[in-house]
Amino acid sequence: MPFTENIDAFFDTDAFATAATYNGVTAVTVIFDSSYVEALGVSSVNPVATGKASDFPISSAVGKTLLINSVTYKIRGREPIDDGALVVLQLEQQ
């Protein structure tokens, strides 16, 4: 019997996730991280969001916007995680 998992539990806004708006109209939930990064003496913030792959189509997610906590980000990249049910979105603040 194959193992199936309900990934919606990870996107509960009362626990881990944050409500967001994809491309100005679609309500989604993501796990948002805007971590501090320092490499080669240069420091910056690297905002990323983890979301369900089904919410961010592979053919069109890059270049669209994601509104999180009243801040608009442009999606710079979409990277699948493991089996592809989840994706990491590389973001750039607008």
Side-chain angles (χ1 to χ4, degrees), residues 21-23 28 30 47 49 55-57 60-68 72-79 87-94:
T21 304
Y22 172 63
N23 203 31
V28 295
V30 296
D55 289 342
F56 303 97
S60 63
V62 175
K64 299 285 174 51
T65 60
L66 195 59
L67 178 67
I68 304 170
T72 301
Y73 297 91
K74 181 178 181 180
I75 299 173
R76 294 185 296 125
R78 179 192 182 276
E79 304 167 12
V87 292
V88 172
L89 304 170
Q90 299 293 331
L91 304 174
E92 176 182 315
Q93 188 172 341
Q94 295 292 285

